Amino acid sequence: MIAAYLVLLIPLFGMAFFSLAGHRADSGLLNIRLNAVNLVATVWLAINVLREGTILSSGKAFLIDPFNVYLIVLTAFVGLTTAIFSAPYMEHEKEIGRLNDARLKLYHAMYQGFMLSMYLVLMTNNMGILWVAMEGATLATVLLVSLYRTPESVEAAWKYFILCGVGIAQALFGTILLYYAAEQVGSLENALLWSVLYENADKLNPEVLEIAFVFLLIGYGTKIGLVPLHNWLPDAHSEGPTPMSAVLSGLLLNDALYAVVRNKMLVDGASHSDMAGFLMMGFGLLSFLVGALFLHRQKDIKRLFSYSSIEHMGMMTFAFGIGGPLATFAALLHMTVHSLTKSAIFVTVGHASQLAGTQSMEKIRGLIKTQPEIGWGLLIGTVSIAGFPPFGVFTSEFLVLLATMHSYPWLAPLLLLGIGIAFAGLFRHIQPIVYGDKPEGQQPIKANLWPVMIHLGLVLWLGLAIPGFLADWFSQATILISGSAPL
Amino acid sequence: MNIEQLDFYTQAVLSLAALVGLTSFLMLGQGRVLRLIFVFAVQGLLLALTTAVAAYSMNIHHLYISAALTLILKVIFIPWMLRRLVLQMDMHRDVEALKNNSAVMLGGASLMVFSYYILHPIVQTSSLVMLNALAVSLSVMLLGMLLMISHRQAVAHVVGFMSIENGLFFAAVVATHGMPMVVELGVAFDVLIAAVLFGIFFFHIRTSIDSLDVDKLNRLSEVEK
């Protein structure tokens, strides 16, 4: 349990330190160190969970089970590699005069604040606190989206603030209905705790829970970026600083989906109907197809990849909606590989746009000729996210397809079509960017591509062979969510 | 349902719910920014009153704290801050001519009916009072959204946003006798931070588009212009 408290206290300390001490020359380094220490703490926590099974803290305030512990480790890992990338990136932004000390102080403090709220979302056992932490994540990132203070970034941040704020208010209404259903049962202590609700799910009123789930799905779905509530996502990703895009895509969307799945487990327990699953499948499939189609129309490289995030989140929502053990396993794997790949891609995209001095895809050209490691990084990342073998994304998409063929065969062609459209959309934009002729005077920049290599290496490894302990881990989580083992 | 036969608490909650709903409609039709903020403060006051009545009738002490929080935050601090910002930015003379005012009001009325319709299944599990309270709080949320859609000024958006929060608090107090204290504190903290952030954003928007008319925030779009 000490490990769990450490995971929360370190970013809290970091946030307090950065906001009190102001920006220093070594802030970037300190940010890396804090995240590194936290990665160690989360791994310690994960080992505890693997040895002893589910941990429930003494006041029942925190619940750590196989489902959230792997997301906690993933959060810490992506947090660390993004911090490694952000240190030289932010230095460069300061050199070219887009940022000053005060903004960098805000950036580092809010980076830690964002990490804190992500850990809190994953670890808390209280559905109300889950909501508070999710809203906290919005508040922490809204100032980061407007960090450059351009009219566009202010507009993107305002949209993000209003749409996510209003959207997530629906989720609180859903949570209140959940609490109301629990109070109807009577004699339940701490009726807002997930563990208590889950144990008594069969006693809860199914009708109230089904109404609640609609609100919860719409609320947290705004954060996942489900179509038609996705409007804030491409704007926030394209106008905010690139490290922010990496953590937004890699972590925030996952955590929102986590919240929906937790609630689905309650509703399924109460209602014994597939209503929650069907809703998720519908929204998921719509997001998947719309995301894939919109890839073709993009002009801005960060918008392109944010639509790719919408597409993949749609696929995961769809897979969790199908709900069998195979689909759940595939969705869990897809969450992992998508986070790793997407944050790696945003890191290379950040370097590529610094190199070209623009985010417009028409003007970024000749990456391989100017600086091969960035060009290849972007190309391999794109190959991976498009779902080519032998990368992990291929494995998880293949498993989702398999599960679809098994349960709803008539939906499989739609999935294949979406994957094809997305593939075409990504490559028609990326091909000239990496292979094209280099514009005159384009100079290589100082870039740190270790995070990219490590992330893509892991995705490749997951595609070739999932290590035994991880497969075991996913299986335990799958049993928890869907009730039976995948294999 | 004969209202005279109900106990004091039920009668009070039903009347207060009606008044809270009424304030939402008043906000919806209001084109003057300062009056909008005033009506919002009145809604906050009604909410604090509801919480206090619930705390008194059911003898739940932590609801007094939550009533006090609402009073400080929603009745005093946020309206005061918004009013000060509006006067500082010299916005109070802008009277917004609402297009299609009657259509907006009719839309609001249908949203209220819609809320009752959605929550109707709950009647089977509980009393009509509960249905009324929950449906009014849901419609306060939906009317808050309609307010944000129909008004152009950033200040109206903030008031709409905060009035959605009012609807949520009303549901929490009336339907569930208040959320656990730690959750209420967390939500209140979020609302406070959000209010401060909104204040900061007013200045950013003002400097970037030289007005607070959010219709002019239209640089980002799917298609390149």
Side-chain angles (χ1 to χ4, degrees):
Chain A
M1 214 49 237
I2 308 164
Y5 294 131
L6 262 184
V7 170
L8 292 176
L9 285 175
I10 293 167
L12 187 64
F13 164 77
M15 187 167 74
F17 180 83
F18 282 127
S19 41
L20 293 178
H23 182 67
R24 297 139 40 112
D26 60 348
S27 280
L29 194 64
L30 188 67
N31 195 21
I32 297 174
R33 285 191 183 142
L34 283 168
N35 279 294
V37 175
N38 226 356
L39 179 61
V40 175
T42 55
V43 170
W44 181 22
L45 184 68
I47 292 172
N48 281 343
V49 173
L50 280 184
R51 278 206 194 124
E52 297 161 28
T54 303
I55 300 178
L56 194 61
S57 73
S58 51
K60 289 192 180 176
F62 299 105
L63 169 86
I64 295 132
D65 61 15
F67 179 25
N68 58 20
V69 79
Y70 98 88
L71 285 171
I72 294 172
V73 177
L74 187 67
T75 302
F77 182 74
V78 174
L80 171 63
T81 49
T82 310
I84 294 175
F85 154 65
S86 102
Y89 182 89
M90 284 299 163
E91 278 306 309
H92 182 89
E93 297 291 278
K94 196 182 157 188
E95 274 163 28
I96 60 172
R98 284 181 86 181
L99 294 174
N100 56 28
D101 278 357
R103 307 252 183 91
L104 281 173
K105 165 188 157 183
L106 177 76
Y107 169 78
H108 284 116
M110 285 302 120
Y111 191 98
Q112 291 292 327
F114 173 73
M115 292 311 286
L116 174 68
S117 57
M118 287 290 96
Y119 292 123
L120 196 57
V121 164
L122 293 170
M123 286 165 63
T124 182
N125 187 20
N126 187 320
M127 299 310 280
I129 297 294
L130 175 75
W131 185 88
V132 170
M134 210 70 206
E135 174 75 5
T138 313
L139 300 177
T141 44
V142 79
L143 282 175
L144 290 181
V145 172
S146 68
L147 198 68
Y148 292 133
R149 302 277 194 272
T150 57
E152 286 85 2
S153 69
V154 171
E155 180 186 336
W158 178 258
K159 245 187 191 175
Y160 172 50
F161 198 3
I162 293 284
L163 196 55
C164 278
V166 172
I168 208 166
Q170 312 299 313
L172 186 58
F173 191 71
T175 310
I176 291 170
L177 284 179
L178 210 63
Y179 190 50
Y180 166 71
E183 284 217 323
Q184 294 290 99
V185 176
S187 75
L188 283 188
E189 293 239 335
N190 298 325
L192 208 53
L193 296 185
W194 187 84
S195 54
V196 175
L197 286 167
Y198 188 61
E199 275 163 26
N200 299 288
D202 52 340
K203 290 182 210 145
L204 302 177
N205 183 310
E207 269 155 349
V208 178
L209 249 64
E210 281 178 1
I211 298 174
F213 186 75
V214 175
F215 284 100
L216 286 160
L217 181 64
I218 290 177
Y220 291 123
T222 315
K223 276 248 128 119
I224 305 176
L226 294 180
V227 175
L229 308 156
H230 67 288
N231 253 332
W232 62 273
L233 196 146
D235 294 344
H237 279 54
S238 64
E239 299 306 326
T242 307
M244 216 54 237
S245 314
V247 285
L248 279 180
S249 252
L251 305 178
L252 181 76
L253 309 185
N254 267 356
D255 285 14
L257 184 58
Y258 163 84
V260 170
V261 175
R262 279 269 181 220
N263 284 303
K264 178 177 183 278
M265 288 161 80
L266 296 178
V267 179
D268 282 351
S271 75
H272 302 292
S273 78
D274 291 331
M275 173 268 189
F278 284 145
L279 271 179
M280 284 175 79
M281 279 169 67
F283 269 110
L285 201 58
L286 183 69
S287 313
F288 175 69
L289 293 172
V290 170
L293 283 170
F294 269 98
L295 281 175
H296 287 262
R297 300 181 52 178
Q298 300 311 313
K299 302 257 195 265
D300 179 309
I301 190 161
K302 280 164 87 181
R303 286 184 87 90
L304 178 80
F305 285 108
S306 55
Y307 271 99
S308 158
S309 286
I310 293 175
E311 177 216 338
H312 284 276
M313 292 319 289
M315 183 176 247
M316 285 174 230
T317 312
F318 175 74
F320 275 121
I322 297 177
L326 184 64
T328 308
F329 185 89
L332 291 172
L333 182 63
H334 201 78
M335 268 171 129
T336 317
V337 289
H338 174 255
S339 291
L340 290 173
T341 317
K342 199 42 74 58
S343 43
I345 287 178
F346 273 114
V347 170
T348 40
V349 163
H351 286 315
S353 53
Q354 272 189 344
L355 188 70
T358 172
Q359 290 182 25
S360 163
M361 282 190 283
E362 277 166 10
K363 293 187 187 123
I364 310 176
R365 285 290 180 265
L367 287 187
I368 287 183
K369 283 181 185 146
T370 320
Q371 199 167 0
E373 65 266 33
I374 294 179
W376 283 109
L378 186 59
L379 189 64
I380 296 172
T382 312
V383 166
S384 164
I385 204 72
F388 272 82
F391 289 97
V393 183
F394 169 76
T395 319
S396 55
E397 285 188 347
F398 183 75
L399 289 176
V400 173
L401 249 160
L402 216 58
T404 315
M405 299 243 236
H406 191 73
S407 320
Y408 305 95
W410 41 279
L411 286 177
L414 275 180
L415 274 190
L416 278 174
L417 187 72
I419 292 173
I421 295 172
F423 158 74
L426 282 171
F427 274 89
R428 73 177 245 212
H429 290 307
I430 294 302
Q431 204 267 350
I433 287 180
V434 291
Y435 289 118
D437 286 327
K438 96 177 192 191
E440 271 177 45
Q442 185 161 285
Q443 292 299 321
I445 52 157
K446 207 177 93 186
N448 184 355
L449 284 157
W450 277 108
V452 179
M453 283 187 241
I454 295 170
H455 279 211
L456 292 178
L458 280 175
V459 175
L460 184 63
W461 187 23
L462 284 173
L464 294 171
I466 302 173
F469 75 94
L470 199 64
D472 200 42
W473 206 345
F474 283 153
S475 306
Q476 284 184 29
T478 308
I479 294 171
L480 199 73
I481 300 168
S482 71
S484 49
L487 300 168
Chain B
M1 185 171 60
N2 192 344
I3 199 159
E4 285 157 28
Q5 287 160 7
L6 298 170
D7 60 43
F8 162 73
Y9 169 68
T10 319
Q11 288 190 23
V13 164
L14 282 175
S15 325
L16 284 166
L19 287 174
V20 168
L22 177 68
T23 48
S24 266
F25 275 100
L26 286 180
M27 280 195 256
L28 200 58
Q30 192 52 261
R32 288 172 192 270
V33 182
L34 285 181
R35 276 190 210 162
L36 189 65
I37 296 170
F38 176 73
V39 181
F40 168 71
V42 171
Q43 191 179 54
L45 189 64
L46 288 168
L47 189 63
L49 206 62
T50 315
T51 319
V53 166
Y56 176 73
S57 334
M58 282 175 297
N59 212 7
I60 307 171
H61 293 297
H62 85 254
L63 278 183
Y64 283 119
I65 304 175
S66 144
L69 267 179
T70 311
L71 194 70
I72 296 167
L73 213 61
K74 298 270 181 61
V75 187
I76 300 168
F77 176 72
I78 294 175
W80 169 78
M81 190 195 80
L82 285 175
R83 193 187 144 84
R84 207 186 54 144
L85 284 172
V86 165
L87 292 176
Q88 213 173 341
M89 293 185 177
D90 205 23
M91 296 250 318
H92 55 291
R93 271 186 284 274
D94 298 357
V95 178
E96 187 176 23
L98 287 174
K99 286 174 239 159
N100 298 326
N101 206 345
S102 49
V104 169
M105 285 314 232
L106 274 178
S110 17
L111 282 179
M112 197 144 199
V113 176
F114 178 66
S115 312
Y116 273 88
Y117 171 73
I118 295 185
L119 292 169
H120 193 70
I122 286 183
V123 176
Q124 290 150 7
T125 70
S126 172
S127 57
L128 270 168
V129 182
M130 203 59 83
L131 172 73
N132 270 307
L134 270 176
V136 166
S137 49
L138 179 59
S139 52
V140 168
M141 286 170 63
L142 295 176
L143 288 172
M145 285 188 198
L146 187 62
L147 175 75
M148 294 170 86
I149 296 166
S150 59
H151 286 59
R152 287 177 296 128
Q153 281 152 341
V155 182
H157 281 211
V158 177
V159 172
F161 186 92
M162 293 293 165
S163 120
I164 290 174
E165 299 276 344
N166 278 350
L168 288 168
F169 267 91
F170 191 76
V173 167
V174 179
T176 66
H177 314 312
M179 308 278 264
M181 202 60 223
V182 51
V183 178
E184 292 230 350
L185 285 177
V187 175
F189 182 68
D190 275 346
V191 170
L192 179 66
I193 305 271
V196 173
L197 282 184
F198 275 127
I200 298 174
F201 262 91
F202 283 168
F203 286 103
H204 290 331
I205 294 180
R206 178 97 167 165
T207 41
S208 75
I209 60 171
D210 203 33
S211 99
L212 275 179
D213 184 344
V214 285
D215 269 2
K216 290 187 186 146
L217 284 176
N218 56 6
R219 281 166 195 260
L220 298 169
S221 70
E222 276 321 315
V223 198
E224 203 99 331
K225 280 178 199 149

